[in-house]
Amino acid sequence: MRIAVAGMRGFPGIQGGVETHGEMLYPRISRLGCEVTVMRRRPFVHETPPLTSWQGVRFRDLDAPARMGVEALVHTLRSVWAARRMRADIIHIHAIGPSLAVPFARLLGLKVVVTHHGPDYDRLKWGAFARLLLRTGERCAARQADAIIVISTVIRDILKTKYGRTRGVHLIYNGVRKAVRATSTRCVRELGLTPGNYVLAVGRFVEEKNFDRLVAAFASAARPDGCRLVIAGAADHATAYSARLTALAELHDVVLAGMVKGKALSELYSHARLFVLPSSHEGLPFTLLEAMSFGRDVLVSDIAANRAVNLPAECYFHYSDDPVPALREALADRLSRPAAPRAYDLSPYDWDTIAEQTLAVYREVLGDSTFTI
């Protein structure tokens, strides 16, 4: 079975939730017997020389304009054409922006699976025209994709309510790796942090993550002596928001760790006193699942996507147009308590199970009667 994958920047080691999803999923799909080719966006590929394959997954690097708002669609259209030329059995498109290319893929005779990672038109960074395109992409997926994978019940309800689409819609969660807690503290100390006495946030520097509001809330919250805030992440493109966040972090002595992966990120999760996710928009957040896998105490906004994870009530703060007061109060409350590891039920988020569920979707689309969903 030949699977072409489009809609993500690529992997390994490329920042983004969809990219992490692909990095975890497709080597497993390959080991299950599929020939997987991931179409990567050349401007985000920095290996020297560029990889042609990784853990059984083939890469095809295609040019894309390094311009926010157009890179995804242009790259996906090129990926669809490449998938047709390689005679892919299925093209798997990730996210609703790239799903604008679904009609083109169907026109070329390709079978199409779309993973809906969340209503991206709710992201604050987009203007009116971009939001219209994203809604159109969602509509293209809902009306023309052979199958749609949704990563949360919230997204499944959107498809049912807005488009009446229930046929071929499959709930398959994001996954999380089994964490191995780091005993080393070298990376943590190099950032000027004290193990067990810092608050951690992880993600891209985009408005809906609300890191600027987290900085404001933390700066004015009661907290233990020496407790600091560290944000691990970066901006894909330089923006006014990322510049403002950087300046605000410098003003309040917040540690900006940059895009952190591997051992350094493992250390940050392992020794954090509290993980915070103050987002106004999520699909099913990888960073929250990662923090849970490390047994961290967590504090997250009470948006629908985060509530779907079914955390204890004390792990949520109320999100509003001005979330700073509620976040400040919640931070002070959580940091006043003794830090203690937590145990979470992560059984729904097993990557091996997710790979098998995804392969079953592919086989259903291709009419393999030996598999049922």
Side-chain angles (χ1 to χ4, degrees), residues 169-205:
V169 175
H170 307 274
L171 175 61
I172 303 178
Y173 294 110
N174 276 337
V176 64
R177 289 170 287 192
K178 185 177 181 180
V180 177
R181 290 198 62 190
T183 55
S184 168
T185 61
R186 182 178 63 84
C187 298
V188 168
R189 294 187 184 279
E190 284 178 351
L191 290 170
L193 302 168
T194 302
N197 199 28
Y198 61 88
V199 173
L200 174 65
V202 181
R204 284 185 286 174
F205 290 2

Side-chain angles (χ1 to χ4, degrees), residues 264-278:
L265 183 58
S266 176
E267 277 195 24
L268 283 172
Y269 277 124
S270 295
H271 302 292
R273 181 186 182 113
L274 178 68
F275 171 85
V276 182
L277 182 69

Side-chain angles (χ1 to χ4, degrees), residues 231-277:
I231 304 175
D236 291 331
H237 307 276
T239 64
Y241 175 78
S242 65
R244 186 169 74 251
L245 175 60
T246 300
L248 190 63
E250 184 176 353
L251 177 65
H252 292 291
D253 195 32
V254 172
V255 177
L256 297 183
M259 192 189 82
V260 181
K261 293 280 187 179
K263 180 180 178 182
L265 183 58
S266 176
E267 277 195 24
L268 283 172
Y269 277 124
S270 295
H271 302 292
R273 181 186 182 113
L274 178 68
F275 171 85
V276 182
L277 182 69

Side-chain angles (χ1 to χ4, degrees), residues 21-39:
H21 182 104
E23 187 171 329
M24 294 295 102
L25 176 63
Y26 288 108
R28 290 171 168 83
I29 295 288
S30 176
R31 289 195 291 271
L32 290 173
C34 293
E35 179 184 302
V36 180
T37 301
V38 173
M39 313 296 181

Side-chain angles (χ1 to χ4, degrees), residues 206-244:
V206 290
E207 291 182 66
E208 64 269 13
K209 296 296 184 185
N210 285 305
F211 290 153
D212 55 336
R213 288 163 162 178
L214 172 58
V215 172
F218 185 83
S220 57
R223 58 186 187 273
D225 290 343
C227 184
R228 299 184 71 187
L229 171 64
V230 55
I231 304 175
D236 291 331
H237 307 276
T239 64
Y241 175 78
S242 65
R244 186 169 74 251

Side-chain angles (χ1 to χ4, degrees), residues 117-153:
H117 289 271
D120 290 338
Y121 41 78
D122 288 339
R123 295 185 186 275
L124 298 175
K125 65 180 179 179
W126 299 122
F129 182 65
R131 291 181 184 185
L132 174 62
L133 291 179
L134 290 166
R135 291 180 188 278
T136 303
E138 183 181 69
R139 188 179 305 113
C140 289
R143 293 181 175 174
Q144 298 192 45
D146 293 282
I148 304 176
I149 294 171
V150 296
I151 63 170
S152 74
T153 55

Side-chain angles (χ1 to χ4, degrees), residues 34 37 49 55 68 96 99 109 122 130 132 142 154 172 199 201 245 257 271 306 312 342-343 346 352 357:
C34 293
T37 301
Q55 294 191 11
M68 188 173 68
I96 59 173
S99 292
D122 288 339
L132 174 62
V154 174
I172 303 178
V199 173
L245 175 60
H271 302 292
N306 291 339
R342 285 180 174 262
L346 293 170
D352 291 332
Q357 292 171 330

